[in-house]
PDB file of all heavy atoms in Angstrom:
ATOM      1  N   SER A  60     103.133  84.737  87.573  1.00 93.00           N
ATOM      2  CA  SER A  60     102.644  84.233  86.318  1.00 93.00           C
ATOM      3  C   SER A  60     102.244  82.769  86.427  1.00 93.00           C
ATOM      4  O   SER A  60     103.104  81.874  86.638  1.00 93.00           O
ATOM      5  CB  SER A  60     103.754  84.364  85.240  1.00 93.00           C
ATOM      6  OG  SER A  60     103.294  83.895  84.015  1.00 93.00           O
ATOM      7  N   GLN A 107      99.150  82.923  75.835  1.00 97.00           N
ATOM      8  CA  GLN A 107      99.625  83.662  77.000  1.00 97.00           C
ATOM      9  C   GLN A 107      99.915  85.101  76.610  1.00 97.00           C
ATOM     10  O   GLN A 107      99.792  85.462  75.383  1.00 97.00           O
ATOM     11  CB  GLN A 107     100.745  82.974  77.773  1.00 97.00           C
ATOM     12  CG  GLN A 107     102.053  82.892  77.081  1.00 97.00           C
ATOM     13  CD  GLN A 107     103.097  82.116  77.928  1.00 97.00           C
ATOM     14  OE1 GLN A 107     103.225  80.925  77.807  1.00 97.00           O
ATOM     15  NE2 GLN A 107     103.819  82.832  78.752  1.00 97.00           N
ATOM     16  N   GLY A 108     100.424  85.958  77.550  1.00 97.00           N
ATOM     17  CA  GLY A 108     100.606  87.393  77.252  1.00 97.00           C
ATOM     18  C   GLY A 108     101.635  87.600  76.096  1.00 97.00           C
ATOM     19  O   GLY A 108     101.303  88.428  75.265  1.00 97.00           O
ATOM     20  N   ARG A 109     102.709  86.924  76.122  1.00 96.00           N
ATOM     21  CA  ARG A 109     103.744  87.197  75.099  1.00 96.00           C
ATOM     22  C   ARG A 109     103.255  86.774  73.723  1.00 96.00           C
ATOM     23  O   ARG A 109     103.748  87.254  72.697  1.00 96.00           O
ATOM     24  CB  ARG A 109     105.071  86.514  75.485  1.00 96.00           C
ATOM     25  CG  ARG A 109     105.111  85.105  75.347  1.00 96.00           C
ATOM     26  CD  ARG A 109     106.267  84.518  76.138  1.00 96.00           C
ATOM     27  NE  ARG A 109     106.126  84.670  77.583  1.00 96.00           N
ATOM     28  CZ  ARG A 109     106.949  84.342  78.501  1.00 96.00           C
ATOM     29  NH1 ARG A 109     108.076  83.728  78.124  1.00 96.00           N
ATOM     30  NH2 ARG A 109     106.714  84.508  79.797  1.00 96.00           N
ATOM     31  N   GLU A 112     101.526  89.690  72.383  1.00 98.00           N
ATOM     32  CA  GLU A 112     102.571  90.680  71.970  1.00 98.00           C
ATOM     33  C   GLU A 112     103.157  90.277  70.607  1.00 98.00           C
ATOM     34  O   GLU A 112     103.421  91.119  69.741  1.00 98.00           O
ATOM     35  CB  GLU A 112     103.693  90.719  73.074  1.00 98.00           C
ATOM     36  CG  GLU A 112     103.162  91.359  74.357  1.00 98.00           C
ATOM     37  CD  GLU A 112     104.148  91.201  75.499  1.00 98.00           C
ATOM     38  OE1 GLU A 112     105.016  90.366  75.476  1.00 98.00           O
ATOM     39  OE2 GLU A 112     104.004  92.011  76.475  1.00 98.00           O
ATOM     40  N   PHE A 132     108.454  96.029  78.981  1.00 93.00           N
ATOM     41  CA  PHE A 132     108.473  94.750  79.698  1.00 93.00           C
ATOM     42  C   PHE A 132     109.337  93.821  78.874  1.00 93.00           C
ATOM     43  O   PHE A 132     109.410  93.946  77.659  1.00 93.00           O
ATOM     44  CB  PHE A 132     107.102  94.195  79.931  1.00 93.00           C
ATOM     45  CG  PHE A 132     107.127  92.851  80.698  1.00 93.00           C
ATOM     46  CD1 PHE A 132     107.565  92.849  82.003  1.00 93.00           C
ATOM     47  CD2 PHE A 132     106.812  91.661  80.080  1.00 93.00           C
ATOM     48  CE1 PHE A 132     107.688  91.674  82.694  1.00 93.00           C
ATOM     49  CE2 PHE A 132     106.924  90.443  80.765  1.00 93.00           C
ATOM     50  CZ  PHE A 132     107.327  90.509  82.076  1.00 93.00           C
ATOM     51  N   THR A 134     109.373  90.682  77.632  1.00 90.00           N
ATOM     52  CA  THR A 134     108.876  89.959  76.486  1.00 90.00           C
ATOM     53  C   THR A 134     108.297  90.954  75.402  1.00 90.00           C
ATOM     54  O   THR A 134     108.435  90.679  74.156  1.00 90.00           O
ATOM     55  CB  THR A 134     107.774  88.990  76.840  1.00 90.00           C
ATOM     56  OG1 THR A 134     106.742  89.626  77.544  1.00 90.00           O
ATOM     57  CG2 THR A 134     108.353  87.819  77.681  1.00 90.00           C
ATOM     58  N   THR A 135     107.698  92.060  75.837  1.00 95.00           N
ATOM     59  CA  THR A 135     107.166  93.056  74.934  1.00 95.00           C
ATOM     60  C   THR A 135     108.247  93.606  74.023  1.00 95.00           C
ATOM     61  O   THR A 135     108.190  93.679  72.795  1.00 95.00           O
ATOM     62  CB  THR A 135     106.597  94.251  75.688  1.00 95.00           C
ATOM     63  OG1 THR A 135     106.014  93.815  76.910  1.00 95.00           O
ATOM     64  CG2 THR A 135     105.583  94.997  74.855  1.00 95.00           C
ATOM     65  N   ARG A 188     102.029 102.465  73.594  1.00 98.00           N
ATOM     66  CA  ARG A 188     101.700 101.356  74.486  1.00 98.00           C
ATOM     67  C   ARG A 188     101.716 101.868  75.973  1.00 98.00           C
ATOM     68  O   ARG A 188     102.691 102.508  76.403  1.00 98.00           O
ATOM     69  CB  ARG A 188     102.669 100.169  74.384  1.00 98.00           C
ATOM     70  CG  ARG A 188     102.490  99.084  75.431  1.00 98.00           C
ATOM     71  CD  ARG A 188     103.501  97.955  75.151  1.00 98.00           C
ATOM     72  NE  ARG A 188     103.499  97.002  76.256  1.00 98.00           N
ATOM     73  CZ  ARG A 188     104.196  97.077  77.333  1.00 98.00           C
ATOM     74  NH1 ARG A 188     105.039  98.090  77.536  1.00 98.00           N
ATOM     75  NH2 ARG A 188     104.066  96.122  78.311  1.00 98.00           N
ATOM     76  N   GLU A 190     101.434 100.347  79.811  1.00 98.00           N
ATOM     77  CA  GLU A 190     101.472  99.104  80.622  1.00 98.00           C
ATOM     78  C   GLU A 190     100.856  99.376  81.996  1.00 98.00           C
ATOM     79  O   GLU A 190     101.355 100.248  82.701  1.00 98.00           O
ATOM     80  CB  GLU A 190     102.858  98.618  80.737  1.00 98.00           C
ATOM     81  CG  GLU A 190     103.019  97.371  81.490  1.00 98.00           C
ATOM     82  CD  GLU A 190     104.437  96.849  81.610  1.00 98.00           C
ATOM     83  OE1 GLU A 190     105.152  96.832  80.585  1.00 98.00           O
ATOM     84  OE2 GLU A 190     104.881  96.509  82.721  1.00 98.00           O
ATOM     85  N   ASN A 194     105.480  96.719  85.344  1.00 95.00           N
ATOM     86  CA  ASN A 194     106.169  95.573  85.982  1.00 95.00           C
ATOM     87  C   ASN A 194     107.587  95.882  86.456  1.00 95.00           C
ATOM     88  O   ASN A 194     107.938  95.685  87.627  1.00 95.00           O
ATOM     89  CB  ASN A 194     106.186  94.415  84.969  1.00 95.00           C
ATOM     90  CG  ASN A 194     106.563  93.098  85.601  1.00 95.00           C
ATOM     91  OD1 ASN A 194     107.414  93.000  86.461  1.00 95.00           O
ATOM     92  ND2 ASN A 194     106.013  91.996  85.105  1.00 95.00           N
ATOM     93  N   ASP A 223      98.532  97.179  77.662  1.00 98.00           N
ATOM     94  CA  ASP A 223      98.942  95.910  78.220  1.00 98.00           C
ATOM     95  C   ASP A 223      98.277  95.787  79.595  1.00 98.00           C
ATOM     96  O   ASP A 223      98.641  96.395  80.565  1.00 98.00           O
ATOM     97  CB  ASP A 223     100.474  95.818  78.393  1.00 98.00           C
ATOM     98  CG  ASP A 223     100.949  94.471  78.939  1.00 98.00           C
ATOM     99  OD1 ASP A 223     100.113  93.713  79.496  1.00 98.00           O
ATOM    100  OD2 ASP A 223     102.149  94.174  78.872  1.00 98.00           O
ATOM    101  N   SER A 225      97.959  93.033  81.493  1.00 97.00           N
ATOM    102  CA  SER A 225      98.376  91.852  82.244  1.00 97.00           C
ATOM    103  C   SER A 225      98.310  92.131  83.804  1.00 97.00           C
ATOM    104  O   SER A 225      97.875  91.241  84.579  1.00 97.00           O
ATOM    105  CB  SER A 225      99.760  91.425  81.849  1.00 97.00           C
ATOM    106  OG  SER A 225      99.850  91.214  80.476  1.00 97.00           O
ATOM    107  N   LEU A 226      98.771  93.325  84.184  1.00 97.00           N
ATOM    108  CA  LEU A 226      98.740  93.582  85.595  1.00 97.00           C
ATOM    109  C   LEU A 226      97.649  94.691  85.930  1.00 97.00           C
ATOM    110  O   LEU A 226      97.789  95.461  86.859  1.00 97.00           O
ATOM    111  CB  LEU A 226     100.108  94.168  86.050  1.00 97.00           C
ATOM    112  CG  LEU A 226     101.288  93.167  85.820  1.00 97.00           C
ATOM    113  CD1 LEU A 226     102.592  93.792  86.256  1.00 97.00           C
ATOM    114  CD2 LEU A 226     101.077  91.863  86.603  1.00 97.00           C
ATOM    115  N   TYR A 261      95.320  94.017  75.533  1.00 98.00           N
ATOM    116  CA  TYR A 261      95.718  92.570  75.595  1.00 98.00           C
ATOM    117  C   TYR A 261      96.091  92.259  77.046  1.00 98.00           C
ATOM    118  O   TYR A 261      96.428  93.135  77.821  1.00 98.00           O
ATOM    119  CB  TYR A 261      96.813  92.206  74.581  1.00 98.00           C
ATOM    120  CG  TYR A 261      98.193  92.701  75.005  1.00 98.00           C
ATOM    121  CD1 TYR A 261      99.079  91.938  75.728  1.00 98.00           C
ATOM    122  CD2 TYR A 261      98.619  93.996  74.517  1.00 98.00           C
ATOM    123  CE1 TYR A 261     100.306  92.391  76.028  1.00 98.00           C
ATOM    124  CE2 TYR A 261      99.935  94.414  74.837  1.00 98.00           C
ATOM    125  CZ  TYR A 261     100.783  93.601  75.576  1.00 98.00           C
ATOM    126  OH  TYR A 261     102.015  94.083  75.874  1.00 98.00           O
ATOM    127  N   SER A 263      97.663  88.912  79.834  1.00 97.00           N
ATOM    128  CA  SER A 263      98.109  87.580  80.194  1.00 97.00           C
ATOM    129  C   SER A 263      97.135  87.083  81.261  1.00 97.00           C
ATOM    130  O   SER A 263      97.066  87.632  82.368  1.00 97.00           O
ATOM    131  CB  SER A 263      99.493  87.579  80.729  1.00 97.00           C
ATOM    132  OG  SER A 263      99.769  86.312  81.427  1.00 97.00           O
ATOM    133  N   ARG A 265      97.584  84.484  82.860  1.00 96.00           N
ATOM    134  CA  ARG A 265      98.349  83.816  83.882  1.00 96.00           C
ATOM    135  C   ARG A 265      98.434  84.738  85.073  1.00 96.00           C
ATOM    136  O   ARG A 265      98.730  84.303  86.184  1.00 96.00           O
ATOM    137  CB  ARG A 265      99.780  83.495  83.350  1.00 96.00           C
ATOM    138  CG  ARG A 265      99.806  82.554  82.198  1.00 96.00           C
ATOM    139  CD  ARG A 265     101.239  82.407  81.672  1.00 96.00           C
ATOM    140  NE  ARG A 265     102.141  81.744  82.636  1.00 96.00           N
ATOM    141  CZ  ARG A 265     102.205  80.488  82.858  1.00 96.00           C
ATOM    142  NH1 ARG A 265     101.512  79.631  82.156  1.00 96.00           N
ATOM    143  NH2 ARG A 265     103.003  79.974  83.828  1.00 96.00           N
ATOM    144  N   LYS A 266      98.180  86.034  84.819  1.00 95.00           N
ATOM    145  CA  LYS A 266      98.136  87.010  85.906  1.00 95.00           C
ATOM    146  C   LYS A 266      96.710  87.548  86.154  1.00 95.00           C
ATOM    147  O   LYS A 266      96.162  87.408  87.227  1.00 95.00           O
ATOM    148  CB  LYS A 266      99.108  88.171  85.634  1.00 95.00           C
ATOM    149  CG  LYS A 266     100.521  87.691  85.611  1.00 95.00           C
ATOM    150  CD  LYS A 266     101.340  88.455  84.592  1.00 95.00           C
ATOM    151  CE  LYS A 266     102.739  87.915  84.529  1.00 95.00           C
ATOM    152  NZ  LYS A 266     103.554  88.640  83.635  1.00 95.00           N
TER     153      LYS A 266
HETATM  154  C1  PLP B  12     103.859  88.716  82.420  1.00 73.66           C
HETATM  155  C2  PLP B  12     103.652  89.866  81.552  1.00 73.66           C
HETATM  156  C3  PLP B  12     103.575  89.725  80.161  1.00 73.66           C
HETATM  157  C4  PLP B  12     103.743  88.407  79.512  1.00 73.66           C
HETATM  158  O1  PLP B  12     102.804  87.444  79.919  1.00 73.66           O
HETATM  159  P1  PLP B  12     103.040  85.877  79.842  1.00 73.66           P
HETATM  160  O2  PLP B  12     101.708  85.274  80.021  1.00 73.66           O
HETATM  161  O3  PLP B  12     103.965  85.550  80.990  1.00 73.66           O
HETATM  162  O4  PLP B  12     103.645  85.559  78.509  1.00 73.66           O
HETATM  163  C5  PLP B  12     103.376  90.858  79.423  1.00 73.66           C
HETATM  164  N1  PLP B  12     103.276  92.083  80.039  1.00 73.66           N
HETATM  165  C6  PLP B  12     103.321  92.227  81.281  1.00 73.66           C
HETATM  166  C7  PLP B  12     103.172  93.604  81.894  1.00 73.66           C
HETATM  167  C8  PLP B  12     103.524  91.160  82.137  1.00 73.66           C
HETATM  168  O5  PLP B  12     103.613  91.343  83.452  1.00 73.66           O
END
Side-chain angles (χ1 to χ4, degrees):
S60 181
Q107 67 181 92
R109 71 198 67 181
E112 292 169 339
F132 181 67
T134 54
T135 326
R188 172 177 174 274
E190 180 178 315
N194 192 326
D223 179 345
S225 303
L226 302 179
Y261 74 90
S263 164
R265 297 177 65 83
K266 292 145 184 184

